[in-house]
Amino acid sequence: MSVIKIDTALELKDNFSGNVAVGTILETLGYYTIGDGGAATYIVKSVAQLVADGDVIDGYGNHALPNTTIAVLVTGDVVNVKQFGAVGDGDLTGTGTNDTASIQAALSLGGSVYIDEGIYNVNQLNMVSDTALTFSPKAKLIANVGYGVSERVLAIDFVSNITINGNGATIAMQKAEYTSGEARHCLR
């Protein structure tokens, strides 16, 4: 089995022109830039294998390649949201990069998910059963501007076997959007 090293997942998604055989291992050193926490290993599968395995091309963990093959993220014991394209360069006002889709893609796998250091501006994230979510002590999940009255940063509804290891991280709504009588929550 051959191994091809590629600088970033972004290069894999947008600029990779190599014709790689099914079964080839692709290794990246970051998602957007080398060393950004998004380093990952992918295995190349055919579309038929992808469907048979119940996977999908989501553009976050699994990426379409030019020769009708798919680079499928190989997940270990813990997945880092940066392996799915979360940037973590947001701001406390909720107007920075929206990392919702990347983090939700990682959470949707279930298992162990790690939220690395950074400020992540998000819309509502939905937990799935059998998930252990662990935060870096320097992680911040900050609500984007425009949340509805019944929305929350992290929704934990109708699921079971959930563990959250906060480690001193911050999860916050936008206080400026509260009006009298609302029942907004960060977690519910």
Side-chain angles (χ1 to χ4, degrees):
M1 188 173 307
S2 65
V3 176
I4 299 174
K5 295 194 182 288
I6 302 166
D7 287 344
T8 67
L10 189 60
E11 179 183 338
L12 174 69
K13 288 172 56 171
D14 297 340
N15 301 316
F16 188 71
S17 59
N19 188 9
V20 294
V22 169
T24 300
I25 301 295
L26 304 174
E27 293 180 351
T28 62
L29 303 173
Y31 197 91
Y32 294 102
T33 60
I34 294 172
D36 66 4
T41 301
Y42 300 83
I43 187 164
V44 176
K45 293 184 177 183
S46 68
V47 173
Q49 285 175 313
L50 186 80
V51 171
D53 292 344
D55 286 327
V56 296
I57 302 169
D58 61 12
Y60 298 102
N62 301 335
H63 309 291
L65 298 176
N67 61 344
T68 67
T69 56
I70 313 301
V72 177
L73 179 66
V74 176
T75 57
D77 293 338
V78 177
V79 295
N80 186 324
V81 296
K82 290 189 174 184
Q83 292 175 309
F84 290 81
V87 182
D89 69 347
D91 60 42
L92 298 177
T93 65
T95 59
T97 300
N98 187 340
D99 284 320
T100 305
S102 299
I103 296 173
Q104 188 62 60
L107 288 173
S108 293
L109 287 176
S112 295
V113 178
Y114 183 69
I115 306 239
D116 212 337
E117 178 179 330
I119 300 173
Y120 300 90
N121 292 138
V122 296
N123 297 329
Q124 181 171 296
L125 297 167
N126 299 296
M127 296 290 289
V128 300
S129 291
D130 303 317
T131 301
L133 179 60
T134 301
F135 289 85
S136 159
K138 294 182 180 180
K140 293 178 177 22
L141 278 185
I142 306 296
N144 280 323
V145 172
Y147 261 69
V149 173
S150 64
E151 293 181 305
R152 65 215 45 101
V153 175
L154 194 57
I156 314 171
D157 296 322
F158 309 107
V159 294
S160 61
N161 196 24
I162 300 295
T163 302
I164 299 176
N165 299 306
N167 297 319
T170 300
I171 301 175
M173 298 294 287
Q174 293 298 324
K175 187 173 182 181
E177 292 190 351
Y178 282 73
T179 59
S180 177
E182 289 182 54
R184 293 188 189 200
H185 304 281
C186 289
L187 303 173
R188 190 176 87 175

